[in-house]
Amino acid sequence: MSKIWARYGSRPTQTTCPALPNIVTWIRLFIGLLYGAYLGATGITGSRGIMMGAGLITFVPMLYVEHYLKTDIESYNNSLMFAGAPNAFAFMCLVWILLHTWNNEETEQALGAAVAEIALKTAEISVDDDSGESAAPVVEDSEF
């Protein structure tokens, strides 16, 4: 294969570079890691980051494959277009959420306390001191 995937204008095909879909997947994962780290470190939230990430992960590797390598896309039976894109998108979201949560610990703790308080109020569980059993009402399962 002799780094056919790295040379400008090498025109790889399915027969000359069968590993190109795997290489594109790794490129997408790397982009997902970098962009997820950027989103998490800068504190960007909302759909703007998601849409931009989906575009970067999907189309930047295709620009590389089509314009830099000048790949014969048809020889790969369109397996290059979305190779690894869902995995890279999920990886981007994971890194983004991890770093955003790490940078906003106080918000996470406040949310956890609020959820726990609501759960306790909703359940309204009281324990009978004599028997040690729950005095919560028993609800029978519905037919649905």
Side-chain angles (χ1 to χ4, degrees):
M1 191 162 74
S2 74
K3 301 202 182 209
I4 196 169
W5 58 272
R7 279 184 297 176
Y8 176 75
S10 59
R11 300 188 189 282
T13 63
Q14 177 68 36
T15 55
T16 60
C17 187
L20 190 59
N22 292 336
I23 294 166
V24 169
T25 298
W26 281 106
I27 291 171
R28 285 186 167 135
L29 286 169
F30 184 69
I31 291 171
L33 172 70
L34 291 179
Y35 191 65
Y38 166 75
L39 291 174
T42 58
I44 296 174
T45 59
S47 62
R48 180 179 55 156
I50 292 173
M51 297 307 291
M52 192 67 177
L56 283 172
I57 287 169
T58 304
F59 298 114
V60 168
M62 289 312 297
L63 288 173
Y64 164 74
V65 166
E66 289 183 20
H67 295 290
Y68 183 79
L69 294 179
K70 303 190 184 314
T71 303
D72 180 17
I73 301 288
E74 286 79 31
S75 72
Y76 288 95
N77 297 326
N78 292 325
S79 66
L80 287 176
M81 182 57 92
F82 295 108
N87 300 344
F89 184 75
F91 188 49
M92 176 202 76
C93 290
L94 178 68
V95 171
W96 181 12
I97 291 168
L98 180 79
L99 290 177
H100 185 76
T101 304
W102 188 22
N103 291 334
N104 297 296
E105 255 183 85
E106 64 283 345
T107 307
E108 177 195 7
Q109 290 173 353
L111 176 65
V115 169
E117 183 179 333
I118 291 171
L120 287 175
K121 285 181 182 178
T122 304
E124 294 180 358
I125 297 176
S126 62
V127 177
D128 188 275
D129 292 334
D130 295 335
S131 66
E133 295 180 12
S134 174
V138 177
V139 179
E140 294 183 22
D141 291 335
S142 69
E143 60 188 71
F144 302 105

